[in-house]
Amino acid sequence: MSDEKRPPLEESEEVADAIEDDVAVDAFITGGGEDRDNPEFLQPGEEPRWRTGADQQWDPEDVAVAEGRDPTPENIERARREIERDGAATIERIVP
């Protein structure tokens, strides 16, 4: 962290100009992606695609750690059996 003291962004000349001239301030621009002001709508009948933690490949070591366990050989083996038995449901139970 720098020891340089800078005024808050809202006290900068750029913000004062933006307020006075109604122009955009680069620091406040979101990039034009999907957000509250630029929603993306689904076509009628189209289902939303929900992304979960199970969308990616998980190693038994990752599962053991995500469950709050140390990655010992016993915990890794238990996690491997759990993944083999339950598949993606293993991840969905422990990763929000």
Side-chain angles (χ1 to χ4, degrees), residues 17 29 41 48 50 52 54 56 63-64 73 76 81 86 90-91 94 96:
D17 290 343
I29 295 175
F41 296 101
W50 303 105
T52 68
Q56 60 196 20
V63 171
I76 292 171
R81 286 192 312 268
D86 299 334
T90 303
I91 310 309
I94 57 174

Side-chain angles (χ1 to χ4, degrees), residues 1-95:
M1 191 165 154
S2 173
D3 289 338
E4 176 184 338
K5 300 240 183 206
R6 292 186 287 180
L9 181 62
E10 56 272 6
E11 293 179 11
S12 71
E13 289 180 36
E14 294 167 313
V15 172
D17 290 343
I19 293 169
E20 186 176 310
D21 297 336
D22 233 4
V23 297
V25 176
D26 292 342
F28 294 143
I29 295 175
T30 64
E34 182 180 339
D35 61 18
R36 184 177 59 170
D37 296 326
N38 299 308
E40 216 172 271
F41 296 101
L42 299 174
Q43 295 299 316
E46 187 178 359
E47 292 291 321
R49 183 182 179 287
W50 303 105
R51 186 175 186 284
T52 68
D55 289 346
Q56 60 196 20
Q57 185 66 32
W58 282 69
D59 294 326
E61 294 86 359
D62 297 329
V63 171
V65 171
E67 290 178 327
R69 303 173 191 269
D70 291 329
T72 62
E74 296 82 20
N75 288 336
I76 292 171
E77 179 57 28
R78 185 201 45 74
R80 186 196 61 73
R81 286 192 312 268
E82 205 172 321
I83 292 170
E84 191 175 285
R85 182 187 69 228
D86 299 334
T90 303
I91 310 309
E92 291 173 352
R93 266 197 316 272
I94 57 174
V95 179

